[in-house]
Each structure stands twice: as structure tokens, then as C-alpha cells.
Amino acid sequence: MTDHRETIRRLNLDVFGKGNVGVIDEILHEDFVDHTGMQGPMDREATKQFVQQIHGALSDTETTVDHILVDGDRVAWRWHMKGTHTGDFMGVPPTNDTIEVSGNDIGIMRDGKLAEMWSEVDNLSLFSQLGIVNPPPFMS
């Protein structure tokens, strides 16, 4: 039986943390769908492109996985990512600031791979750090 926790660790640490998109075909199901991509649902290929965008914009990226919960074929996890904003990201030129973001994901495993995923990312914090939106006074 596949260790779902190890699959989630590899997704977060190897793929998003190190930018190793070669791992994606090993851990994401061939019919994978991320239902919450910023520009709509993403399949495996779109996920590879998204990871490459992140690593083109954020150097020295580090990720951590805080918690992983598994219930049969259902998984949920909380993560953190940080890196230095040294490249264009979502149309924002480099700030050379450290960017930190966190999120919670829920997924469905199939045939030992992640088949579906829904994400909740702290986009307000991310956009504030990028200067896209002004944070409310209590976040300053």
C-alpha cells in the first residue's frame, strides 16, 4: 500500500520546495485536477508550469509541511513556503523581499497518487507582500 503521507511530503518538499517537476508524473495521477488553480483548474502539465513560475520568481524557496491527516483515500495537509522574490511573479517585478505564504490543502488519492486537490492559500498575505494590495491596518 502506498504511503499517502510520503506522497504529500514529496509534493510539497520536492516539487514545490525544490522545483523538481520530474517528480510530478510519479506522484500525481494521470487524471489529476487541482480545482483551485489561480486561473482555473490545473492538470499535471499546468502544475509543472506553475511550479516553474514559482521557482523563476522565488529563489531559495523552502517549504515545510506542518500536518498531514489521512483518512482512507482522503488527505489534508497544512504547509508553509518562503523564498526571496527575485523574479517576475504574477506581473510583479522583483522586490528582493522575503515572501512567506501558507495554506491548507485537501486531496483525494487514487491508485497511490494524488488525483484531486483543493487549496486554500493565504492570498491576502501573499498579495500584500508583493505590493498588489495594501494590508489592513491590523496586518501592518
Side-chain angles (χ1 to χ4, degrees):
M1 179 174 182
T2 303
D3 181 354
H4 298 331
R5 285 176 181 80
E6 184 59 24
T7 299
I8 298 308
R9 280 187 199 95
R10 290 182 74 198
L11 175 65
N12 286 269
L13 303 178
D14 294 339
V15 175
F16 283 98
K18 296 177 183 171
N20 186 355
V21 295
V23 174
I24 286 178
D25 291 342
E26 296 174 32
I27 62 174
L28 299 184
H29 196 273
E30 62 186 19
D31 297 325
F32 172 77
V33 176
D34 178 349
H35 295 279
T36 50
M38 286 190 173
Q39 297 178 338
M42 296 189 311
D43 61 8
R44 286 195 317 194
E45 292 306 311
T47 301
K48 290 175 186 177
Q49 292 172 6
F50 181 61
V51 169
Q52 290 170 333
Q53 288 174 348
I54 290 171
H55 282 270
L58 300 177
S59 61
D60 63 0
T61 304
E62 297 176 14
T63 58
T64 58
V65 180
D66 302 316
H67 304 285
I68 302 173
L69 303 172
V70 177
D71 184 12
D73 66 349
R74 310 293 172 159
V75 291
W77 64 100
R78 177 155 180 77
W79 54 267
H80 286 82
M81 174 186 282
K82 83 176 185 179
T84 306
H85 182 210
T86 56
D88 187 80
F89 187 57
M90 298 180 355
V92 178
T95 62
N96 294 312
D97 292 334
T98 298
I99 303 295
E100 296 187 47
V101 66
S102 62
N104 300 293
D105 293 340
I106 297 172
I108 299 174
M109 305 296 291
R110 187 177 318 126
D111 303 325
K113 296 182 178 187
L114 185 61
E116 295 185 71
M117 185 169 98
W118 294 262
S119 300
E120 292 292 331
V121 178
D122 185 359
N123 285 325
L124 177 59
S125 175
L126 174 62
F127 296 161
S128 295
Q129 292 172 72
L130 292 171
I132 296 172
V133 298
N134 293 323
F138 64 87
M139 289 183 68
S140 313

